[in-house]
Amino acid sequence: MVSADLARIVIGVIGNIISIILFLSTVPTFHRIWKRKSVERFSPVPYLVTFVNCGLLVFYGLPFVQPHSLLLSTTNGAGFVIESIYLFIFIFYSDRKKRIMVSLALLVEIIFLSVLVVLILTLTHTTKIRAVIVGGISIAGNIMMYASPLSIMKTVITTKSVEYMPFLLSVFCFANGVCWLSFALIRFDPFVAIPNGLGALFGLAQLILYATFYKSTQEMIARREGKSELTPENVARTTSPINGQLELV
């Protein structure tokens, strides 16, 4: 029979893989931003929230805060680096107003994490107290990370378009929540179980929205591309020199 500790390690390793895929799932979004030299209507909120959440969970998973949870630190350490790169790209391709806003938000998050680490390590002296304090804050950060697409979900419902809600991000949010919920239930850790259980539900809600509005999104994109092709130059090229009427091509 497989021991609980071994099962936890296996699920934790799987969780690491899924989490890293989750962090990398928005690469197509940032490739689009880089290609178009603009952040368009993409929101910085998911990346700002994920950045601070990764920082919290790196700290929480360390042995002198929460023993036997180092796998949380490894995966979120990778996420912290990846989100930093995303935010740099987002800031670089934002307009001046948004660049200042995102930069200030990022600075506040860095200061918050730094102050928290210093206060916890200097004012508390047992892992039990440290785990309760950092874990409690991490619950809020983790829930915000999973809930951050809610603003995008509102836009999806209003516009009936999922163009600005990355599909892979939704898929791996759901898978990540399920995996880490399982990890937390083996050796019960409410600070991991609660936010990841909610995360699985948020991810499922995003997937339902995606399935609901996928068809209407494709129709909108097709209409928009059809209009963009009908430019004055194209009209001139397709106009017959004999009768001045549009020719079918």
Side-chain angles (χ1 to χ4, degrees):
M1 185 175 179
V2 178
S3 68
D5 287 338
L6 179 58
R8 200 167 188 262
I9 290 172
V10 171
I11 293 176
V13 171
I14 295 171
N16 268 252
I17 295 170
I18 293 175
S19 294
I20 291 174
I21 294 173
L22 169 63
F23 296 135
L24 293 174
S25 65
T26 48
V27 166
T29 297
F30 282 88
H31 179 263
R32 171 174 170 167
I33 290 172
W34 169 77
K35 190 174 181 180
R36 300 190 179 187
K37 314 299 181 187
S38 171
V39 297
E40 300 178 286
R41 295 178 61 187
F42 289 108
S43 171
V45 174
Y47 313 107
L48 286 167
V49 173
T50 304
F51 174 83
V52 73
N53 180 65
C54 285
L56 287 169
L57 288 174
V58 166
F59 188 41
Y60 177 76
L62 294 174
F64 49 80
V65 177
Q66 177 66 297
H68 313 297
S69 295
L70 191 60
L71 286 169
L72 285 172
S73 293
T74 56
T75 185
N76 284 285
F80 191 80
V81 173
I82 293 168
E83 296 302 322
S84 299
I85 295 170
Y86 286 162
L87 285 168
F88 173 79
I89 296 171
F90 199 98
I91 290 169
F92 187 81
Y93 288 113
S94 295
D95 57 48
R96 186 174 182 275
K97 183 179 179 181
K98 186 173 286 188
R99 184 179 297 124
I100 293 173
M101 180 189 71
V102 177
S103 298
L104 287 175
L106 182 60
L107 178 61
V108 169
E109 290 183 347
I110 292 171
I111 293 172
F112 166 73
L113 290 172
S114 302
V115 171
L116 178 66
V117 170
V118 172
L119 289 177
I120 292 297
L121 294 181
T122 55
L123 299 180
T124 62
H125 305 288
T126 65
T127 56
K128 185 175 181 180
I129 296 175
R130 289 173 177 174
V132 169
I133 296 173
V134 180
I137 298 172
S138 296
I139 284 180
N142 221 341
I143 291 174
M144 285 192 296
M145 181 190 78
Y146 283 120
S148 59
L150 287 177
S151 59
I152 302 174
M153 290 168 70
K154 180 182 177 182
T155 302
V156 169
I157 295 171
T158 302
T159 62
K160 294 182 172 53
S161 170
V162 294
E163 184 177 2
Y164 293 99
M165 187 174 75
F167 175 68
L168 289 178
L169 182 61
S170 301
V171 170
F172 287 107
C173 271
F174 174 70
N176 192 62
V178 170
C179 189
W180 286 109
L181 173 62
S182 303
F183 175 87
L185 291 177
I186 293 174
R187 178 181 286 171
F188 188 63
D189 186 340
F191 301 119
V192 178
I194 293 172
N196 283 287
L198 291 173
L201 291 176
F202 286 137
L204 180 61
Q206 291 173 50
L207 291 175
I208 292 172
L209 274 181
Y210 206 95
T212 302
F213 295 113
Y214 177 78
K215 185 176 180 180
S216 60
T217 301
Q218 296 306 307
E219 291 172 351
M220 288 180 187
I221 293 174
R223 285 198 299 268
R224 187 170 65 232
E225 290 178 349
K227 289 180 180 179
S228 66
E229 289 175 0
L230 196 61
T231 62
E233 291 181 358
N234 290 336
V235 170
R237 281 197 297 267
T238 57
T239 301
S240 169
I242 299 175
N243 54 24
Q245 294 180 347
L246 289 178
E247 294 179 343
L248 297 177
V249 292

